[in-house]
Amino acid sequence: MHAIPSEHKSLRVTRRTFLRSGALSATIIPTLTAWDLPVAAAEVQAAHSFAPNADLLRSAKSTADWIQSAQRQDEHGVWWLPDPDHPEKLTTVSATNAIYSGSAGIVLFFIELAHAAGDTKYLDIASQGADYLVATWRNFIDKPTAGLLSLPGLTLSLYNGLSGLAFVLNVAGKATGNAKYVEAAKSATDAIVQAARPAGSGVAWSGAPGVGADGSIVLYLLYAAHEFQNEQYRIVAKQAGDHILELAIKEQRGGLSWRGFPALPGLPKDVYFPNFEGGTAGVAYVLTRLYGETKDERYLDAARQGALHLQTIAAVHGNAALIPYRFPDLPDLYYLGFCHGPAGTARTFFELHRVTGESEYQIWTDRLAQGVIQSGMPENLTPGYWNVVCQCCGSAAVIDLFLGLWAASGQSDYLAFAQRVAGQLASHATNLDGKGDRWYQAWTRVKPWEVNAETGYSIGAAGVGAALLHVHLAEQGKYSAILLPDNPFPATRT
């Protein structure tokens, strides 16, 4: 999740533009026909195609090569520079051992690559990175950490902190059979529980309930309760949920909202993000998951009210819908990715449909997916889908949304769209120096001149490579994905 300090009016897309734009019609790509070539020229064309390389596994392996070129080692073990073009930067968004822009997310990618490629050398690399995580996880508790989102409490969250590191260690333990990773994950989880502080009628860590903050800790603890067979983790998650209920705001137009993320420098004091990682959508998802675990109707009632609020602020056109990026200053801007867009928010309606069986929530899941499709991406850039490819707010997030919908429903149109986005994404890779594929993007939308290529999972090449692997496996009839605790979609499809 990332915050935007300021916006330029010329970059906005208005609600009227969204509702009336021809971009809301299905994009039609003209078919190119070949010239009548002499035989010799045709042979040359066959040998030297001008088309983009569609081998997604090859691209993922090349991505791994580039990430490996950024490998470093110290007394704690192996880690990777987040921004190799600027080796003086040891952190960017998150700490060096977190998922977002640190080594934990890269370990996750190498585990998936080892499985997809059937090559244990990638698992060896993942093990080296996991050793570093074992050696450094207490930094989130004992030492102040650097990074844009390393604020108090957030350093225990899923993407930017200890919950994510513990998740990756447990995954690494199961993938490698090395028990020390699982034991370190348990110890880290115990530390997260011990760090909870009384708040209202429950507990909290940062005090912010969004998936970018305490909500993700709740989701991780629910995951850990199953993985480690520890009921205490579920109890603490429920206590945090009780406090989240107290933070709800009743909306005049109907429903409930939550300010999911702590105030960040440079943003308006009354800023409100409604979507998944920083707002109401993510909180409603957390509460839905708590209901699924506890059958406490209070959580489901509040989640329903959160969904109602999202429905009241959505721009709807036929079978398509999008929810604005933020209020009060940008109510007509629509992101398409995970952090502030439908690639994340669709999860909320999907999960509500899963636990209630009510068709209304399935309809809204499909509407949000159609909002993405009818935006005209990936061929067209929009103000909410700019030069950005990452899992947080770009193409990789969209790929995994549509693969998840396909895995759940079997609808071939969803898989076809994921393939289309993956093809466009792979074609944007850069490898001019021969070190491997990477993607240059303007992570901050309002600073298009700030273009860089990162290695991490949420913001960089590791997450892009993972999305390409997922499409490759789907095309081979072997789809499987390592899903984080905030992802409700099936991990496999047979």
Side-chain angles (χ1 to χ4, degrees):
M1 182 238 175
H2 66 280
I4 305 301
S6 62
E7 300 286 344
H8 196 286
K9 292 183 178 180
S10 66
L11 294 176
R12 298 185 185 182
V13 56
T14 65
R15 180 179 294 258
R16 182 174 298 174
T17 300
F18 172 76
L19 297 180
R20 295 182 179 178
S21 171
L24 282 171
S25 301
T27 304
I28 300 175
I29 308 301
T31 302
L32 299 178
T33 58
W35 297 301
D36 292 329
L37 297 174
V39 174
E43 291 174 351
V44 172
Q45 185 185 42
H48 304 286
S49 173
F50 296 110
N53 190 320
D55 186 343
L56 301 182
L57 179 58
R58 183 216 61 80
S59 184
K61 289 180 178 179
S62 182
T63 301
D65 291 340
W66 180 68
I67 293 173
Q68 275 299 89
S69 73
Q71 180 178 299
R72 298 293 185 271
Q73 188 164 3
D74 61 22
E75 68 276 15
H76 301 301
V78 165
W79 53 281
W80 294 269
L81 291 170
D83 184 356
D85 290 336
H86 299 279
E88 73 280 2
K89 291 184 179 180
L90 301 184
T91 61
T92 54
V93 179
S94 69
T96 57
N97 51 356
I99 285 180
Y100 198 101
S101 62
S103 293
I106 293 172
V107 170
L108 208 59
F109 167 61
F110 277 113
I111 292 171
E112 291 211 276
L113 182 55
H115 165 72
D119 192 334
T120 58
K121 76 177 182 181
Y122 297 119
L123 201 57
D124 292 339
I125 296 170
S127 295
Q128 293 173 24
D131 289 341
Y132 177 79
L133 301 182
V134 170
T136 62
W137 72 261
R138 284 212 61 90
N139 289 351
F140 285 116
I141 302 293
D142 300 333
K143 298 180 181 180
T145 56
L148 178 64
L149 295 182
S150 294
L151 301 174
L154 298 187
T155 55
L156 302 178
S157 65
L158 187 64
Y159 290 93
N160 294 292
L162 187 54
S163 292
L165 183 150
F167 169 79
V168 172
L169 279 178
N170 188 52
V171 170
K174 292 194 291 186
T176 64
N178 193 329
K180 79 173 181 180
Y181 300 145
V182 177
E183 291 306 312
K186 290 179 182 179
S187 296
T189 307
D190 290 339
I192 293 167
V193 168
Q194 293 163 9
R197 295 291 177 262
S201 62
V203 300
W205 292 271
S206 72
V211 168
D214 291 1
S216 68
I217 302 176
V218 171
L219 295 174
Y220 170 71
L221 290 178
L222 294 177
Y223 160 86
H226 286 282
E227 289 291 309
F228 306 136
Q229 296 296 297
N230 189 325
E231 183 61 22
Q232 181 62 25
Y233 298 158
R234 186 178 288 104
I235 291 171
V236 175
K238 189 176 186 302
Q239 291 172 340
D242 291 343
H243 180 55
I244 288 173
L245 291 176
E246 298 173 327
L247 299 176
I249 300 170
K250 190 172 183 178
E251 294 288 337
Q252 291 184 351
R253 295 170 60 182
L256 298 174
S257 68
W258 284 265
R259 271 51 179 175
F261 214 67
L264 293 174
L267 290 174
K269 291 183 179 180
D270 58 347
V271 70
Y272 166 54
F273 298 104
N275 282 284
F276 195 78
E277 201 175 5
T280 297
V283 175
Y285 177 80
V286 170
L287 294 173
T288 305
R289 287 288 305 278
L290 278 168
Y291 166 74
E293 292 282 338
T294 67
K295 304 306 177 187
D296 188 329
E297 293 286 343
R298 296 177 304 149
Y299 300 135
L300 182 58
D301 291 344
R304 289 180 184 275
Q305 290 299 305
L308 175 61
H309 163 64
L310 296 172
Q311 291 165 329
T312 66
I313 64 173
V316 180
H317 180 74
N319 67 339
L322 291 176
I323 294 170
Y325 161 56
R326 83 181 189 211
F327 294 95
D329 54 333
L330 296 169
D332 298 318
L333 180 65
Y334 303 91
Y335 277 26
L336 299 183
F338 162 76
C339 57
H340 296 298
T345 298
R347 298 180 180 189
T348 303
F349 290 98
F350 178 89
E351 184 68 5
L352 277 166
H353 174 258
R354 191 184 70 81
V355 302
T356 67
E358 295 174 12
S359 61
E360 172 191 4
Y361 297 124
Q362 180 62 60
I363 290 170
W364 273 87
T365 303
D366 294 336
R367 278 179 175 168
L368 291 170
Q370 284 297 320
V372 176
I373 293 171
Q374 296 185 27
S375 72
M377 73 89 69
E379 292 79 15
N380 297 317
L381 298 181
T382 72
Y385 173 67
W386 62 105
N387 177 24
V388 61
V389 301
C390 60
Q391 284 280 358
C392 180
C393 42
S395 309
V398 171
I399 288 171
D400 279 341
L401 166 66
F402 280 87
L403 286 177
L405 292 172
W406 164 74
S409 68
Q411 293 186 39
S412 59
D413 288 351
Y414 286 143
L415 175 58
F417 190 74
Q419 290 174 299
R420 189 167 117 201
V421 178
Q424 187 259 10
L425 177 57
S427 74
H428 281 205
T430 296
N431 185 13
L432 296 178
D433 57 7
K435 291 182 178 179
D437 286 358
R438 86 289 319 247
W439 285 262
Y440 284 88
Q441 63 174 354
W443 180 72
T444 303
R445 191 184 72 84
V446 294
K447 295 181 180 180
W449 57 89
E450 290 188 4
V451 177
N452 67 338
E454 292 215 18
T455 58
Y457 193 90
S458 294
I459 195 175
V464 173
L468 297 181
L469 285 177
H470 298 161
V471 178
H472 164 75
L473 290 169
E475 292 175 340
Q476 300 300 310
K478 301 176 182 178
Y479 175 71
S480 68
I482 296 176
L483 303 181
L484 273 69
D486 62 354
N487 192 321
F489 297 116
T492 62
R493 180 169 182 83
T494 57

